[in-house]
Amino acid sequence: MSLVSEILISIWVILPAYLPNSAAAVFGGGKAIDSGSKLNGKRILGDGKTWKGTLAGASAGFGLALIMNQINMILGLEIPSFTLIAAASLGLGAMLGDISASFLKRRLGKDRGRPFPVLDQVDFLIGAILLVYLLDYLWAAQNLDLTTLGILGLLTPLVHVTANIIGYKADIKDEPW
Ligand code: CTP
Ligand code: MG
């Protein structure tokens, strides 16, 4: 396979893990998962992790994977499709990764919403990859092999830096990082 197709397919298989964060931000709110409970004086997760956001995020990832399967089938593309378990794991895993990162941030004394560079950019990816390996090893080993993981590892920081610079130039963000 050519390098370009390797890169495009790597992006394709991980897309369902990228959508959940935005869906959670749009549809989130309401009851916090930790319902305000604290651990050693600090919130367990914080108000940024809600049931509604988590459900919306996980469903969005799952739904996107199913839509991608349809597109794949209709266009007759010879690219990977998602098993139901892989689709569900990518969406839910992304949310669990993000929730785990909030748990860690609260333990380190970072208040809700404060940026935590690098962790904020990879938590959902790590969660999605771990859960899909755990629940659908065959799919994961086939579609998220070392080459693909390497490509995604290199691409992720690049995507974030570029998106932030565009956001800054477009006056959406106050800082270019
Ligand atoms: N969100 C949610 N439930 C989740 C994840 C996100 O409701 N499981 C919503 C919340 O409204 C949150 C927003 O999406 O404020 C942005 O998500 P994120 O940046 O992950 O949360 P933060 O508010 O920054 O909190 P934290 O510091 O814990 O990451
Ligand atoms: Mg945040």
Side-chain angles (χ1 to χ4, degrees), residues 48-49 98 102 105-106 111-116 120 123:
K49 304 298 115 139
D98 176 60
S102 290
K105 288 187 275 187
R106 299 301 91 80
D111 288 332
R112 174 210 171 169
R114 290 258 311 281
F116 198 126
D120 281 335
D123 53 16

Side-chain angles (χ1 to χ4, degrees), residues 9-10 20-21 29-30 40 46 50 56 59 71 78 81 91 94 98 100 137 159:
I9 289 179
S10 304
N21 273 327
N40 295 328
T50 68
S59 314
I71 295 174
E78 278 172 25
S81 56
D98 176 60
S100 310
Y137 182 80
V159 169

Side-chain angles (χ1 to χ4, degrees), residues 84-99:
L84 284 182
I85 296 178
S89 309
L90 290 172
L92 183 64
M95 286 287 88
L96 292 179
D98 176 60
I99 289 171

Side-chain angles (χ1 to χ4, degrees), residues 8-33:
L8 291 177
I9 289 179
S10 304
I11 296 172
W12 175 266
V13 293
I14 209 67
L15 275 182
Y18 265 89
L19 187 63
N21 273 327
S22 324
V26 173
F27 299 107
K31 196 165 157 42
I33 296 174

